[in-house]
Each structure stands twice: as structure tokens, then as C-alpha cells.
Amino acid sequence: MIATLKAIHIAAMLCWCAGLVALPLLLITYGHAQRQLRYTEFRMLTHYGYVGFATPAAVIAVVAGTALIFVAEVFDLWLIAKLAFVSAMAMVHAWIGHLIEQSGLQRHGQGDDPTRGYRMPYPGIALAVILPAIAAILWLVLAKPDLAWAAELLPFIQEPRGQLP
């Protein structure tokens, strides 16, 4: 059971990470397409890449990972650090979805002012967050470092919720 959950979790994480790296690259490459054919291709690639690949992979990774935490009974501090980086990945995932949705306004001149299009922020910012997060998650999972020093700096981490010291 644990081996199956790990395999599902790792496969889904690989797909999710690949999507979170590929989508900003697509947004950078196709984001300023001038010809309609290239723009249509860009919209289909980013939309289906996000909705049909990255998002299902993220959901499967989170569900399998959550199940794995409880089945394997892993409640160490390195896991809390890993979950913090996974949260950063989830926030960037949502921001990429917003950029993909707003990229349609860039082309069609909709939004707050119908006379001009949406000016998309640089999607490379997502890569600047995602790549270190992926590296940190990989390191935390493989090294499983002893983060007792963090518990000493932040004693509330190991306090049960609702309990007074």
C-alpha cells in the first residue's frame, strides 16, 4: 500500500512539476503572438496544459501525498518544511492559471478598459519561485534532515493546537 501510494505521489509530482515549468515557458514564448494561428495554438496549449495536465497532476499529488502521510505515519519537521514549499507551488500554480486566463484579455482588449489589452506580468517570475521550491522539496525528501534547531527557534511548531504550555 505504501509503495503504491509513493509511486502515485512521485509520478504525479513529476507531472505537476513539469507542468509548472513548461507553462511559464509557453507563456513567455507564445505570449506575444501576433498571428491568429500562433495565438490560437498558444491558447490551446496553455489552457489544456493547465486544465488537462497540471491541475489533475496537482490534485493527485496532493491526495496521494496526504494519504501517504497518514498511512506511513510520517510527522517529522522536514515534512512540515516540505509542505511549506508545496504550498508555494500551489500558489504559483494558481497564479499561472490566472495568467493563462488573463492572456485572452491581452489579445482581445477586454477587461477594465476595452480600448487596451491586459498587460501580463513576466511569467518568468513563476520559474524563479518554482525551481528553488522543487529543489528544496527534493532535498528535504531525500535527505530528511534533522530540523530540531528549527523547533527550538520556533517552539510553537511542536505545541498541540488549543493546548497551553
Side-chain angles (χ1 to χ4, degrees):
M1 175 79 162
I2 291 175
T4 303
L5 279 173
K6 275 186 183 180
I8 292 169
H9 180 64
I10 290 169
M13 281 296 293
L14 287 172
C15 291
W16 186 24
C17 291
L20 290 179
V21 170
L23 287 169
L25 293 174
L26 285 170
L27 287 168
I28 292 167
T29 304
Y30 284 93
H32 303 292
Q34 298 300 318
R35 294 191 344 239
Q36 183 61 41
L37 180 64
R38 294 284 286 172
Y39 181 74
T40 302
E41 183 181 65
F42 154 74
R43 290 290 292 156
M44 288 185 65
L45 278 171
T46 56
H47 176 74
Y48 290 118
Y50 185 80
V51 173
F53 183 75
T55 301
V59 170
I60 292 168
V62 169
V63 168
T66 303
L68 193 57
I69 290 169
F70 292 105
V71 170
E73 296 180 0
V74 177
F75 302 105
D76 295 328
L77 286 176
W78 66 264
L79 179 67
I80 294 170
K82 176 196 174 206
L83 293 176
F85 286 108
V86 170
S87 298
M89 287 177 61
M91 287 187 281
V92 171
H93 180 96
W95 187 63
I96 290 171
H98 171 74
L99 292 180
I100 290 169
E101 189 269 331
Q102 292 295 311
S103 67
L105 300 179
Q106 180 179 4
R107 177 69 170 192
H108 298 293
Q110 299 170 357
D112 295 341
D113 183 5
T115 61
R116 62 183 180 87
Y118 171 75
R119 188 114 174 113
M120 185 168 41
Y122 184 62
I125 297 168
L127 290 173
V129 174
I130 285 299
L131 294 175
I134 291 170
I137 289 169
L138 189 60
W139 177 75
L140 286 165
V141 169
L142 294 176
K144 293 182 179 54
D146 181 20
L147 298 178
W149 58 270
E152 292 171 9
L153 291 176
L154 307 167
F156 66 88
I157 289 178
Q158 293 186 328
E159 270 181 29
R161 198 172 137 191
Q163 299 290 323
L164 298 174

